[in-house]
Amino acid sequence: MASTNPTNASAKQIVTEIPGWIRVFSDGTVERPRDFPIVPPTLQDSSTGVCSKDIAISNNPPEPISARIYLPNITDSQAQKLPIYVYFHGGAFFFESTFSKLYDDHLQKLVSEAKVVVVSVEYRLAPGHPLPAGYDDCWEALKWVASHSDSTKYPTHNTEPWLIHHADFNRLFIGGDSAGANIVHNILAFRFGPQPLPGDVKILGAILAHPYFYSSEPVGSEPVTVLDQNLYNLVWKLVYPSAAGGIDHPFINPLAPQAPSLAQLACSRIFVSVAEKDGLCDRGVWYYEAVKKSGWQGQIQLFHQKDEDHVYHLLKPSLNQDTRNAYKLINLMASFLLN
């Protein structure tokens, strides 16, 4: 166990570290060097016209669940109800925030293109809150959203007017990137179906952007490495140390022997996107092909972008880099949500 200051015996110690990604210290503090800065919501964005605000979903222990909700620029002639997109951010389950510049920039653009109401969920992060805490929070948030569908049974606390007045609950979508896309699968495979949503609301479709799946056996062009040296395995051990089967737990390996059948995924449309230079690219293709072969009765679409890396559609616009491919994917996502 290394010391942050070897000359000072009382200095806090590094308990866990994934170099360049996270440091956990003996006093409980955590360094997450890849986090983007937090930005406030906007009453009306000057470039997109999108409105956003931060909301409380639950004040229940052990931790409150919050979110940022987005509403597109609506004129009096556009009074019809809008699709709902419940979004789960990525960050390997241990970093990033729905309130960060990275996700605010992305969702401002998507909302303005797709004309949807977005609820972007802030869930608890590992290692302070190891999985399944994040899964639980996202499921609770989705149930809270759906509870606005029945005017006779609105939530008794934290009712959201934007959902009541503008949301079409016959067009409910869920989506996420990386770890957030893993959460999407978790909801479709493990939560919704065995458990109904309030108001008997159905999930129409799902977007999985560069999903975080893995297993002990490599697929496609993945390198054959010792698991203890594999980044994706190290992350999984950090965020879900009690997972039975480790990297072959069905939450991370959707084809594990104990995993539910992909034929039972609880929606009718799925959009999967992958990027050629992403170390998770082959996993996304693997998932897409497995769903197609499973007997699932819905429609699944794969978009494969060449010459790009993991979550380029988030990073490049936020870093003011070449946005052509990023906006191409965002427009495809908008079309999926509109059709």
Side-chain angles (χ1 to χ4, degrees):
M1 189 162 61
S3 171
T4 57
N5 183 358
T7 63
N8 185 352
S10 64
K12 61 184 181 181
Q13 307 289 308
I14 299 174
V15 177
T16 304
E17 180 179 16
I18 300 178
W21 292 89
I22 187 170
R23 277 182 172 180
V24 184
F25 294 96
S26 55
D27 65 354
T29 58
V30 180
E31 288 182 359
R32 298 176 169 95
R34 297 194 177 221
D35 276 351
F36 273 67
I38 300 300
V39 296
T42 54
L43 182 61
Q44 189 169 47
D45 184 79
S46 59
S47 60
T48 65
V50 172
C51 301
S52 61
K53 61 181 177 180
D54 295 341
I55 57 176
I57 289 176
S58 170
N59 295 321
N60 296 330
E63 291 287 336
I65 305 171
S66 57
R68 180 164 290 177
I69 185 169
Y70 296 82
L71 187 69
N73 189 16
I74 303 171
T75 66
D76 291 339
S77 62
Q78 297 172 315
Q80 74 272 17
K81 296 293 184 77
L82 304 171
I84 317 159
Y85 185 41
V86 181
Y87 191 81
F88 312 116
H89 71 80
F93 298 105
F94 69 79
F95 74 105
E96 266 305 333
S97 167
T98 197
F99 306 124
S100 77
K101 181 180 186 299
L102 184 69
Y103 287 98
D104 192 71
D105 286 352
H106 171 63
L107 293 172
Q108 289 276 355
K109 176 67 173 176
L110 181 65
V111 169
S112 67
E113 294 292 333
K115 296 295 186 287
V116 294
V117 179
V118 167
V119 178
S120 182
V121 180
E122 181 79 342
Y123 55 88
R124 288 173 289 168
L125 297 177
H129 302 283
L131 294 174
Y135 293 130
D136 294 341
D137 289 354
C138 292
W139 176 240
E140 288 302 316
L142 184 60
K143 290 195 295 182
W144 174 85
V145 170
S147 70
H148 289 77
S149 63
D150 186 345
S151 61
T152 66
K153 299 178 181 178
Y154 286 150
T156 54
H157 301 287
N158 304 328
T159 304
E160 176 45 54
W162 286 4
L163 291 175
I164 293 172
H165 299 305
H166 300 293
D168 180 355
F169 289 91
N170 291 315
R171 293 185 288 169
L172 172 65
F173 295 84
I174 62 175
D177 65 281
S178 195
N182 177 291
I183 292 171
V184 169
H185 171 76
N186 181 279
I187 288 174
L188 296 177
F190 293 92
R191 303 297 179 114
F192 185 52
Q195 305 174 52
L197 286 171
D200 199 30
V201 171
K202 307 300 181 186
I203 299 173
L204 178 58
I207 294 176
L208 289 82
H210 310 167
Y212 173 35
F213 299 126
Y214 222 74
S215 68
S216 59
E217 293 294 325
V219 301
S221 61
E222 291 175 352
V224 178
T225 59
V226 178
L227 275 179
D228 286 344
Q229 300 172 2
N230 182 290
L231 174 63
Y232 304 112
N233 182 58
L234 292 174
V235 167
W236 188 247
K237 288 173 66 176
L238 172 74
V239 301
Y240 202 173
S242 65
I247 199 67
D248 286 313
H249 189 284
F251 286 179
I252 189 70
N253 179 2
L255 296 185
Q258 304 85 1
S261 170
L262 295 175
Q264 304 304 315
L265 292 176
C267 69
S268 58
R269 297 169 56 212
I270 295 176
F271 178 88
V272 179
S273 66
V274 299
E276 182 182 34
K277 295 182 178 180
D278 182 5
L280 293 171
C281 179
D282 288 342
R283 287 289 164 174
V285 176
W286 171 75
Y287 179 78
Y288 163 78
E289 292 176 346
V291 173
K292 284 189 69 176
K293 294 174 183 176
S294 70
W296 182 65
Q297 296 300 302
Q299 297 177 338
I300 186 166
Q301 176 183 354
L302 176 70
F303 176 71
H304 189 159
Q305 178 63 58
K306 293 184 178 181
D307 301 321
E308 295 287 5
D309 211 330
H310 193 62
V311 298
Y312 67 91
H313 63 296
L314 304 175
L315 292 169
K316 288 197 166 181
S318 202
L319 295 172
N320 296 315
Q321 297 175 354
D322 185 350
T323 59
R324 287 173 293 179
N325 287 336
Y327 289 163
K328 177 182 176 182
L329 177 54
I330 292 170
N331 288 335
L332 287 172
M333 291 175 172
S335 295
F336 179 84
L337 296 169
L338 286 170
N339 295 325

